[in-house]
Amino acid sequence: MTPATGHHLLVWLAGQLLHSPTLRANVPTVAGHAERIAYAEQLCKEVSEALHPHVVSEFAASLDARDPGRPAPSLPYIGDVPADPSLVLALTSARAAIEGTDEAVVLRAAGHEWELHTSVRPALEALVSGARLTFGELAERSGLTVEQVAVLATELVSKDAAAVSHPR
């Protein structure tokens, strides 16, 4: 395990700033003194603005979203997962995260992101906390049908973000 350092945060932040014309522009290494100073001041301004009080939280959320998790076998369910209410779904990433608005909830796990209806939030919160839930329990918590839970499970399994198993 390699802990995240300030260097990692700054590299990530540079990636977040790629939309900036200043960061995409050539560094004026052969320009005059005044141009170099102006460039450095503009660069400092943009980086300072990006280093706001919540930048560490945003960086941590990004790390969580990209964490590949711990591979878990989902055999024989590697293709379409059947709509069986007794099957169990568990996320494979201990660093999965959810956030959302009134219109949608976003699940980030194993380097992927899914935007889902807010009704699935209670089920996702349980899964993100580490719970192993049957398709029936997930359907009950979210108001989805078992068939819809199976579609969600198929998508998560296909991206290595979850594993399906039989109850223990």
Side-chain angles (χ1 to χ4, degrees), residues 44-118:
C44 184
K45 178 182 179 256
E46 290 184 28
V47 171
S48 293
E49 288 173 359
L51 285 170
H52 56 78
H54 302 289
V55 71
V56 174
S57 296
E58 291 173 2
F59 174 62
S62 174
L63 290 176
D64 291 346
R66 291 179 300 167
D67 181 66
R70 51 194 183 278
S74 195
L75 296 173
Y77 309 111
I78 56 174
D80 290 337
V81 178
D84 178 344
S86 69
L87 289 177
V88 175
L89 182 67
L91 296 180
T92 58
S93 175
R95 295 175 64 173
I98 56 172
E99 62 182 49
T101 64
D102 292 339
E103 293 83 36
V105 62
V106 175
L107 170 65
R108 291 187 180 91
H112 300 280
E113 181 177 298
W114 295 269
E115 187 173 316
L116 305 162
H117 190 271
T118 55

Side-chain angles (χ1 to χ4, degrees), residues 6-25:
H7 167 79
H8 294 109
L9 186 144
L10 291 175
V11 168
W12 170 82
L13 188 64
Q16 300 303 300
L17 292 171
L18 284 177
H19 69 279
S20 161
T22 305
L23 267 75
R24 288 195 327 264

Side-chain angles (χ1 to χ4, degrees), residues 105 116-125 138 141-144 152:
V105 62
L116 305 162
H117 190 271
T118 55
S119 66
V120 301
R121 186 179 196 92
L124 292 178
E125 286 173 344
L138 287 166
R141 288 182 185 219
S142 64
L144 297 174
L152 174 62

